[in-house]
């Protein structure tokens, strides 16, 4: 018994010594900035003069001036950004997961030239977001863009569409580009999950005469579900701090601004470090909350199906 | 009610032909075992019958109906895999019932069938467990149970016991024998374990490199192997083989000259051989008899190793030309290592194989 606990102690020590460098680096590059941001969110800091800051409590979040509500939580523009971000996250991830699954299933089948197709599919993911955003920006350009040109030539539209300027369409344009870029990533993660599945159970199901559709829903889906959940969480965390695509693709409008765009605007354009930090802190809280919920829901669902 | 007939069945993977025209008629309720060395095509042949692989040419008839293009389900077969192939996320109950759902049976009926099969395999207390919570033997029983609930016409087994330890193998083997008796289904069983083949089979099919070497009851194969391959493959320890020459063709058999010049009488058919022909003389370790050194008609050599197993013993004898002979006798050994030993070859137990490998039928 005592030998065992000594062994356990040694293991715990080893674990900590392996973890320590990582934890220190994380504390420096992620922990410290986070703490600073949260601290600034409770001050009236201004970008032009960071030496003279005054602690103002929750005023950046919510305050009453002259009988009127003010602060982040009273700002319609902020809530618009929250709504935009959530809409973008849900729609783009739903599409990416669905398309990613389809692509993964295709890539999982054996066919001639599979290796080449697998590599080719990854190209959109390999291009830096800024580059693909610029590229799509040109393709979607209302006067010179190839997409309008194509649709006009095919007589599908009569007049050019302002893809990125029209507030009703711009968000869809952003989602389209994001789906184009990120589906390969989803497909790859799901494909990795699919390839972990044992092959013999598919032969067993075939012998038993179970229809392929039933096999997909009753065998493949539940078994690959954990991999899909991981992919969805990864993507959701990424999608909720969406910035570059929207910043490059759409003009600086409220209709498409995300939480990150809002925070940048406060910080840089308006020099309001306090306000911007408050927005960043809320963004952090939203992402943290989402992660916890996603992990929890994913587990519960898994528990039910197995 | 299911007989399975293969007519000139061939299978190629790409350009390589792996099964070279196999003819085989399995009758209803028969237990047929495929044996053969690794890579000889046992699994491939089984998968052709199952419908997991397409037959390149030839016909497969199940119940007299051509089944080449039928799905496994239409063929009425169930298969037990070496790897068990259980669905990892389903309980034992769900694993066994999965193949039944959607075939017009109701939930209550599925429940009943699964429970009955589980009871017969002593799986009832395990019905709610996941495969990962079972031992290897229990998993194998679930795999068998999953096949039983389908009530197939033909059961296919691909080395179902090879992942189990020795004791469990014997137990599960007996279970399969009992199953065959109670189910009254046709069974085709692949193994490379001789004991499994000899104990379970009504008939054994010996395969080698995609060809059938011999088909027969276990005793037929043991007593009258058709050729060198079967003689060497069936029986453990392996049959002893000696290079020999035909000295005389008699009316009852052949007189051979052993490598050391000893004349050996045999009782075999004499077709196609003449004095001076090179032949192979085969004799099983358990058929050799201990003799006095110097006795005429015996072969002698030096004892190299003695293995006492209690109820029997093996003596390995270095014979002329370097051949190592195995001699098996009951009880404990009475000889000393490194001493000389003489062995008698009873004429009715000698197998003789022509240079082309064909056996001369024994008359013993
Ligand atoms: N899908 C395949 N593609 C190409 N060759 C194959 C394929 N499946 C089997 N083979 C070849 O066919 C031959 C027979 O294989 P098979 O699996 O039937 O052997 P086996 O008798 O079952 O051997 P073992 O006792 O090792 O299981 C082997 O040489 C193997 O390499
Ligand atoms: Mg095999």
């Amino acid at each position: 018994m005592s030998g065992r606990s000594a062994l356990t102690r040694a293991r715990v020590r080893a674990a900590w010594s392996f973890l320590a460098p990582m934890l220190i680096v994380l504390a420096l590059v992620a922990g410290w900035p986070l703490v600073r941001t949260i601290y600034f969110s409770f001050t009236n800091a201004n970008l032009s003069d960071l030496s003279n800051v005054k602690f103002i409590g929750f005023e950046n979040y919510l305050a009453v001036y002259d009988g009127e509500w003010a602060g982040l939580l009273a700002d319609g523009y902020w809530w618009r950004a929250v709504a935009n971000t959530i809409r973008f996250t849900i729609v783009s991830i739903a599409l990416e997961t669905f398309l990613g699954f389809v692509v993964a299933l295709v890539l999982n089948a054996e066919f001639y030239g599979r290796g080449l197709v697998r590599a080719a599919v990854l190209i959109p993911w390999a291009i830096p977001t800024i580059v693909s955003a610029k590229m799509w920006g040109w393709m979607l350009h209302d006067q010179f863009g190839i997409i309008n040109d194509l649709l006009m030539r095919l007589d599908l539209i009569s007049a050019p569409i302002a893809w990125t300027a029209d507030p009703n369409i711009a968000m869809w344009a952003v989602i389209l580009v994001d789906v184009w870029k990120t589906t390969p990533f989803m497909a790859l993660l799901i494909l990795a999950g699919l390839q972990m599945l044992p092959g013999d159970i598919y032969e067993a199901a075939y012998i038993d005469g179970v229809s392929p559709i039933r096999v997909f829903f009753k065998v493949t889906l539940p078994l690959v579900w954990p991999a899909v959940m991981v992919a969805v969480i990864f993507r959701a965390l990424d999608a909720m701090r969406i910035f570059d695509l929207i910043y490059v693709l759409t003009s600086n409008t409220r209709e498409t601004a995300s939480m990150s765009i809002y925070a940048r605007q406060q910080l840089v354009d308006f020099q309001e470090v306090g306000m911007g930090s408050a927005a960043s802190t809320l963004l952090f809280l939203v992402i943290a909350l989402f992660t916890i919920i996603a992990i929890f829901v994913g587990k519960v669902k898994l528990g039910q199906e197995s | 009610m299911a007989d399975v007939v293969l007519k000139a069945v061939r299978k190629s993977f790409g350009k390589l032909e792996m099964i070279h025209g196999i003819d085989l008629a399995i009758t209803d309720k028969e237990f047929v075992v495929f044996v053969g060395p690794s890579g000889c095509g046992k699994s491939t042949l089984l998968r052709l019958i199952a419908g997991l692989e397409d037959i390149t040419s030839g016909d497969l008839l199940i119940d007299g109906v051509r089944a080449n293009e039928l799905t496994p389900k239409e063929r009425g077969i169930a298969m037990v895999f070496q790897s068990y192939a259980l669905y990892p996320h389903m309980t034992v109950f769900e694993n066994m019932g999965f193949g039944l759902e959607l075939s017009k049976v109701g939930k209550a009926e599925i429940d009943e069938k699964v429970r009955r099969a589980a009871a017969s395999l002593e799986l009832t207390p395990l019905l709610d467990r996941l495969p990962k919570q079972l031992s290897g033997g229990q998993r194998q029983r679930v795999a068998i149970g999953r096949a039983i609930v389908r009530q197939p016409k033909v059961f296919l087994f691909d080395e179902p016991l090879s992942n189990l330890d020795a004791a469990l193998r014997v137990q599960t083997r007996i279970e399969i024998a009992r199953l065959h008796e109670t189910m009254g289904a046709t069974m085709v069983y692949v193994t490379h374990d001789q004991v499994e083949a000899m104990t379970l089979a009504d008939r054994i099919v010996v395969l080698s490199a995609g060809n059938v070497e011999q088909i027969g009851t276990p005793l037929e194969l043991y007593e009258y192997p058709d050729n060198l391959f079967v003689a060497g493959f069936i029986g453990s320890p392996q049959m002893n083989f000696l290079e020999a020459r035909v000295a005389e063709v008699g009316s009852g058999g052949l007189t051979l000259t052993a490598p050391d010049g000893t004349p050996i009488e045999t009782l075999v058919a004499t077709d196609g051989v003449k004095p001076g022909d090179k032949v192979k003389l085969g004799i099983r370790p358990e058929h050799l008899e201990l003799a006095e050194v110097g006795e005429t008609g015996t072969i002698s050599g030096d004892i190299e190793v003695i293995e006492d197993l209690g109820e029997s013993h093996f003596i390995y004898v270095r014979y002329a030309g370097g051949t190592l002979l195995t001699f098996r006798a009951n009880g404990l050994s009475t000889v000393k290592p490194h001493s000389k030993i003489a062995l008698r070859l009873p004429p009715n137990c000698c197998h003789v194989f022509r240079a082309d490998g064909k056996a001369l039928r024994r008359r013993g």
Side-chain angles (χ1 to χ4, degrees):
Chain A
M1 224 32 216
S2 71
R4 198 160 152 203
S5 67
L7 183 66
T8 310
R9 268 202 308 272
R11 277 194 183 152
V12 169
R13 248 199 323 275
W16 277 113
S17 64
F18 281 117
L19 283 175
M22 178 67 164
L23 290 177
I24 292 168
V25 170
L26 267 182
L28 286 176
V29 305
W32 174 240
L34 183 62
V35 170
R36 284 280 287 179
T37 304
I38 294 173
Y39 162 74
F40 274 134
S41 74
F42 293 111
T43 68
N44 67 349
N46 193 286
L47 198 57
S48 56
D49 181 14
L50 277 178
S51 58
N52 185 17
V53 290
K54 208 175 91 208
F55 190 77
I56 56 168
F58 282 93
E59 276 184 30
N60 281 329
Y61 295 94
L62 201 58
V64 184
Y65 294 121
D66 308 329
E68 281 210 38
W69 288 102
L72 198 56
L73 295 178
D75 186 355
Y77 180 14
W78 162 252
W79 287 114
R80 183 68 209 254
V82 172
N84 282 340
T85 310
I86 291 174
R87 184 159 76 119
F88 168 81
T89 303
I90 291 175
V91 176
S92 70
I93 290 182
L95 288 172
E96 285 156 17
T97 308
F98 177 73
L99 293 174
F101 221 121
V102 172
V103 173
L105 287 173
V106 170
L107 290 183
N108 197 35
E110 283 189 27
F111 57 89
Y112 185 74
R114 176 168 72 158
L116 205 70
V117 176
R118 273 188 195 178
V121 158
L122 273 178
I123 289 174
W125 177 248
I127 297 174
T129 311
I130 281 290
V131 176
S132 49
K134 275 283 176 205
M135 193 174 84
W136 277 96
W138 271 108
M139 298 206 309
L140 290 168
H141 194 278
D142 50 353
Q143 287 170 49
F144 313 113
I146 187 171
I147 295 193
N148 272 340
D149 187 58
L150 207 68
L151 293 177
M152 299 264 283
R153 275 170 203 264
L154 290 174
D155 270 338
L156 290 173
I157 53 172
S158 51
I161 297 175
W163 295 103
T164 55
D166 183 336
N168 297 319
I169 304 176
M171 184 50 98
W172 287 104
V174 170
I175 289 172
L176 170 85
V177 177
D178 192 69
V179 167
W180 174 82
K181 179 179 165 53
T182 330
T183 297
F185 172 77
M186 274 298 210
L188 208 67
L189 282 188
I190 296 173
L191 179 63
L194 286 176
Q195 298 204 315
M196 298 284 288
L197 302 186
D200 54 2
I201 57 176
Y202 288 94
E203 288 194 336
Y206 179 60
I207 290 266
D208 286 351
V210 185
S211 75
I213 293 173
R214 216 170 115 71
V215 170
F216 175 78
F217 283 107
K218 291 284 182 162
V219 178
T220 306
L221 205 53
L223 286 179
V224 87
W225 186 249
V228 175
M229 273 321 286
V230 168
V232 165
I233 291 174
F234 271 26
R235 272 306 301 147
L237 300 185
D238 228 23
M240 278 192 297
R241 52 189 185 79
I242 175 79
F243 175 79
D244 35 12
L245 210 52
I246 295 178
Y247 190 71
V248 173
L249 215 50
T250 70
S251 43
N252 219 347
T253 66
R254 294 175 171 229
E255 276 72 22
T256 56
S258 67
M259 289 191 271
S260 295
I261 296 263
Y262 179 95
R264 190 211 70 93
Q265 199 172 39
Q266 293 292 337
L267 268 163
V268 180
D269 292 352
F270 307 154
Q271 313 250 313
E272 297 271 11
V273 173
M275 221 25 193
S277 295
S280 298
T281 304
L282 281 184
L283 174 57
F284 164 73
L285 289 179
V286 169
I287 290 180
L289 193 72
F290 172 84
T291 311
I292 292 166
I293 291 174
I295 290 174
F296 181 71
V297 170
K299 275 219 180 99
V300 168
K301 210 148 186 191
L302 256 158
Q304 281 169 350
E305 282 179 28
S306 58
Chain B
M1 290 300 97
D3 47 349
V4 179
V5 177
L6 281 74
K7 286 185 183 159
V9 166
R10 288 171 186 276
K11 173 68 187 173
S12 307
F13 292 107
K15 284 200 174 68
L16 283 177
E17 192 174 87
M18 288 298 171
I19 300 286
H20 310 290
I22 285 190
D23 291 294
L24 174 65
I26 301 170
T27 57
D28 184 37
K29 296 191 175 58
E30 197 174 15
F31 200 124
V32 168
V33 175
F34 294 167
V35 291
S38 190
C40 69
K42 306 181 292 290
S43 301
T44 305
L45 193 55
L46 198 72
R47 292 165 62 84
L48 290 174
I49 299 175
L52 287 172
E53 304 277 0
D54 289 329
I55 295 171
T56 308
S57 75
D59 289 318
L60 169 70
L61 307 173
I62 296 179
D63 270 347
V65 180
R66 190 178 134 97
N68 289 39
E69 273 81 39
L70 298 184
T71 65
K73 193 172 186 178
E74 291 163 339
R75 296 178 191 199
I77 58 113
M79 184 158 168
V80 178
F81 294 82
Q82 176 176 359
S83 57
Y84 317 135
L86 299 178
Y87 308 109
H89 59 300
M90 295 188 196
T91 62
V92 169
F93 183 92
E94 290 165 334
N95 259 289
M96 289 169 71
F98 189 56
L100 289 181
E101 294 169 37
L102 279 209
S103 52
K104 279 162 244 136
V105 284
K107 270 229 164 356
E109 198 178 332
I110 294 174
D111 194 82
E112 215 236 89
K113 278 184 178 176
V114 170
R115 281 182 197 284
R116 196 150 23 125
S120 76
L121 290 164
E122 292 168 36
L123 287 170
T124 310
L126 309 176
L127 279 176
D128 293 325
R129 295 219 199 150
L130 290 175
K132 64 169 179 247
Q133 298 164 321
L134 301 177
S135 73
Q138 290 166 338
R139 281 178 213 179
Q140 190 52 275
R141 294 216 300 276
V142 175
I144 294 172
R146 184 170 66 184
I148 293 177
V149 293
R150 298 247 335 273
Q151 292 174 324
K153 295 189 285 188
V154 184
F155 270 96
L156 306 177
F157 296 87
D158 193 354
E159 307 203 23
L161 309 186
S162 58
N163 289 340
L164 305 182
D165 67 34
L168 214 49
R169 272 168 108 120
V170 174
Q171 194 189 327
T172 316
R173 194 175 81 209
I174 293 168
E175 206 137 286
I176 290 175
R178 187 178 57 90
L179 194 71
H180 178 234
E181 210 178 272
T182 53
M183 298 273 303
T186 311
M187 293 192 174
V188 185
Y189 188 104
V190 167
T191 180
H192 55 242
D193 183 310
Q194 288 207 30
V195 183
E196 266 170 44
M198 298 295 277
T199 51
L200 287 173
D202 292 324
R203 277 194 305 159
I204 295 178
V205 178
V206 183
L207 295 168
S208 142
N211 289 304
V212 172
E213 293 289 342
Q214 191 175 355
I215 304 175
T217 65
L219 281 187
E220 261 168 35
L221 298 190
Y222 178 81
E223 303 268 9
Y224 302 104
D226 261 353
N227 51 49
L228 264 178
F229 181 86
V230 177
F233 195 80
I234 300 288
S236 168
Q238 217 192 16
M239 185 185 280
N240 296 300
F241 294 109
L242 298 175
E243 303 291 341
R245 265 182 201 286
V246 179
E248 203 186 315
V249 180
S251 57
L254 299 171
T255 308
L256 307 179
T257 316
D260 62 355
T262 314
I264 310 252
E265 296 293 334
T266 62
L267 288 172
V268 294
T270 57
D271 36 317
V273 284
K274 54 185 190 309
D277 278 358
K278 273 183 82 163
V279 292
K280 267 212 163 66
L281 169 62
I283 182 144
R284 296 197 184 275
E286 53 272 34
H287 293 152
L288 286 167
E289 288 172 5
L290 198 59
E292 294 295 325
V293 179
E295 198 182 310
T296 53
T298 64
I299 56 175
S300 55
D302 292 319
I303 298 176
E304 217 150 80
V305 177
I306 300 174
E307 290 176 349
D308 270 312
L309 301 179
E311 101 289 359
S312 66
H313 60 273
F314 295 119
I315 297 176
Y316 298 95
V317 179
R318 186 66 66 183
Y319 175 63
T323 324
L324 195 64
L325 300 177
T326 314
F327 164 58
R328 178 183 183 275
N330 289 332
L332 295 176
S333 58
T334 53
V335 292
K336 293 242 166 350
H338 311 299
S339 60
K340 263 224 167 327
I341 189 173
L343 297 169
R344 192 183 306 120
L345 291 74
N348 60 337
C349 294
C350 287
H351 300 256
V352 181
F353 305 93
R354 294 192 314 221
D356 63 2
K358 284 295 285 175
L360 298 171
R361 176 103 186 158
R362 287 195 306 124
R363 288 176 176 157

